[in-house]
Amino acid sequence: MEQILNRYYADNAGRLHRMVDGILARFGGLADKDRDDFYSLANEVFVDVLRKYDEKRSFESFLYSCLSNRMKTEITKRNREKRRAEKMNVSLDMPVGEDEETTFGDMLVGPFDMEKEVLEKGTEKYSGRIRLYLDRLSGLQKEVLRLKMDGFSPDEIRSRLHISGKQYADCKAAIHAYRNISVLF
């Protein structure tokens, strides 16, 4: 037992860390912080393996298989937690309410009103950024934006422009899309 401990924990657990590094190399994408977590996990597994080792096969292969299985389990657990957190994310463009025309983004309060900023000025008074933003929008999107600023409801806008709910939603998404509004920042 003492020989095994000395072999794996000589030079600050270098042999154990190299074994862990070899296992983790197959997974990739781990930060140094994660690597330290897995070294700690390897210490726990090592102690458990020492208790369970029955000398029917080599200690090295028994330790490697136990480490590999435990690390796969830990990585799977971490990935599940990430996916669970991602499921809780909500898009600002997600419809809320029964009419499905109002989005979370519409409900946020803030001092900046993009539609007001764009449409209250005469075309000649637009800043370079506003003109750049407007150039990114199609004619239909600009018309939806103008009608929205004039106070028309989504139903009235669809009726006036003879467009479907999907076309309206697409225009609204484009008006608020980061790829378009990023030039305003």
Side-chain angles (χ1 to χ4, degrees), residues 84-96:
R84 193 173 305 125
E86 288 171 1
K87 286 181 182 178
M88 290 188 269
N89 290 342
V90 176
S91 168
L92 291 177
D93 294 324
M94 184 174 140
V96 289

Side-chain angles (χ1 to χ4, degrees), residues 4-5 7-9 13 15-20 23 26 41-54 57-71:
I4 293 173
L5 276 171
R7 191 171 9 146
Y8 282 91
Y9 282 91
R15 186 172 184 160
L16 184 62
H17 287 186
R18 284 189 296 278
M19 188 180 281
V20 169
I23 293 168
R26 292 184 296 177
L41 181 64
N43 288 325
E44 293 173 23
V45 171
F46 185 83
V47 170
D48 192 41
V49 166
L50 273 178
R51 279 191 232 130
K52 294 179 180 177
Y53 181 59
D54 59 8
R57 61 180 167 167
S58 78
F59 182 81
E60 180 110 4
S61 64
F62 184 53
L63 176 61
Y64 185 87
S65 65
C66 291
L67 277 173
S68 181
N69 288 335
R70 184 64 176 96
M71 288 184 185

Side-chain angles (χ1 to χ4, degrees), residues 91-94 96 102-109 176:
S91 168
L92 291 177
D93 294 324
M94 184 174 140
V96 289
T102 305
T103 66
F104 280 123
D106 293 336
M107 300 174 88
L108 294 176
V109 178
H176 294 281

Side-chain angles (χ1 to χ4, degrees), residues 3-185:
Q3 290 174 334
I4 293 173
L5 276 171
N6 289 335
R7 191 171 9 146
Y8 282 91
Y9 282 91
D11 69 17
N12 200 19
R15 186 172 184 160
L16 184 62
H17 287 186
R18 284 189 296 278
M19 188 180 281
V20 169
D21 290 340
I23 293 168
L24 293 178
R26 292 184 296 177
F27 297 105
L30 294 173
D32 287 337
K33 178 184 84 71
D34 294 326
R35 192 169 303 280
D36 289 340
D37 290 346
F38 282 100
Y39 290 154
S40 296
L41 181 64
N43 288 325
E44 293 173 23
V45 171
F46 185 83
V47 170
D48 192 41
V49 166
L50 273 178
R51 279 191 232 130
K52 294 179 180 177
Y53 181 59
D54 59 8
E55 299 185 13
K56 289 183 180 176
R57 61 180 167 167
S58 78
F59 182 81
E60 180 110 4
S61 64
F62 184 53
L63 176 61
Y64 185 87
S65 65
C66 291
L67 277 173
S68 181
N69 288 335
R70 184 64 176 96
M71 288 184 185
K72 285 178 194 174
T73 302
E74 181 65 20
I75 288 172
T76 301
K77 180 182 127 200
R78 288 177 181 212
N79 287 337
R80 280 187 186 136
E81 288 169 1
K82 287 178 188 174
R83 285 193 302 271
R84 193 173 305 125
E86 288 171 1
K87 286 181 182 178
M88 290 188 269
N89 290 342
V90 176
S91 168
L92 291 177
D93 294 324
M94 184 174 140
V96 289
E98 293 176 14
D99 66 354
E100 295 190 8
E101 296 298 328
T102 305
T103 66
F104 280 123
D106 293 336
M107 300 174 88
L108 294 176
V109 178
F112 181 73
D113 185 349
M114 180 174 50
E115 290 90 352
K116 186 175 183 180
E117 181 71 22
V118 170
L119 295 174
E120 276 190 351
K121 298 178 179 180
T123 325
E124 65 283 345
K125 295 182 183 178
Y126 288 154
S127 72
R129 288 183 180 181
I130 298 294
R131 281 193 300 261
L132 199 59
Y133 166 73
L134 289 172
D135 287 343
R136 292 177 175 213
L137 300 179
S138 70
L140 180 61
Q141 292 162 352
K142 288 176 192 173
E143 191 59 23
V144 167
L145 184 61
R146 186 186 65 73
L147 290 172
K148 190 172 179 189
M149 270 310 302
D150 288 342
F152 289 93
S153 73
D155 289 334
E156 293 170 325
I157 294 171
R158 286 194 312 265
S159 175
R160 277 183 175 249
L161 298 177
H162 307 288
I163 59 175
S164 68
K166 176 161 179 16
Q167 288 173 307
Y168 173 80
D170 290 345
C171 286
K172 190 172 172 190
I175 290 167
H176 294 281
Y178 180 78
R179 70 180 181 278
N180 291 333
I181 65 169
S182 62
V183 298
L184 297 173
F185 303 124

